[in-house]
Amino acid sequence: MSKNNLSKEAETRLMTFFNNTVTPEQIAKAIRQVNFVLALGLIREHETHQQEISKLENSFFWLNELAEILNPYLDVE
């Protein structure tokens, strides 16, 4: 896995966004909802080729990972 460092400006803007705009729980919920709707819409509307299925699976996985980092929902027992 590669590691990219954010610039100080990007860090500051992200901190401001999460501290003043939304809670991690709200953004995680929004990511999960958008992820579901996009995946469902693509599957229903388009004949999906194998290559696109792989891309869709990867995108779905990484968006859910981001949501889990913001608000661990799936790890709660």
Side-chain angles (χ1 to χ4, degrees):
M1 176 187 257
S2 66
K3 181 179 178 182
N4 295 329
N5 293 326
L6 295 174
S7 68
K8 280 293 185 191
E9 180 184 352
E11 286 182 26
T12 302
R13 292 175 71 186
L14 282 170
M15 292 301 290
T16 300
F17 177 78
F18 283 114
N19 288 333
N20 298 326
T21 308
V22 296
T23 66
E25 292 82 10
Q26 290 172 320
I27 196 72
K29 181 179 179 182
I31 289 170
R32 288 184 181 102
Q33 289 173 337
V34 167
N35 204 17
F36 175 76
V37 169
L38 288 173
L40 189 60
L42 285 170
I43 290 168
R44 285 185 175 171
E45 290 185 22
H46 302 289
E47 179 180 319
T48 309
H49 302 302
Q50 189 60 41
Q51 182 180 8
E52 295 302 316
I53 290 172
S54 178
K55 288 179 186 177
L56 183 60
E57 287 173 348
N58 286 334
S59 298
F60 194 79
F61 173 80
W62 287 113
L63 282 173
N64 278 333
E65 284 293 306
L66 176 59
E68 282 300 299
I69 290 167
L70 295 171
N71 178 22
Y73 174 78
L74 297 175
D75 292 338
V76 176
E77 294 183 25

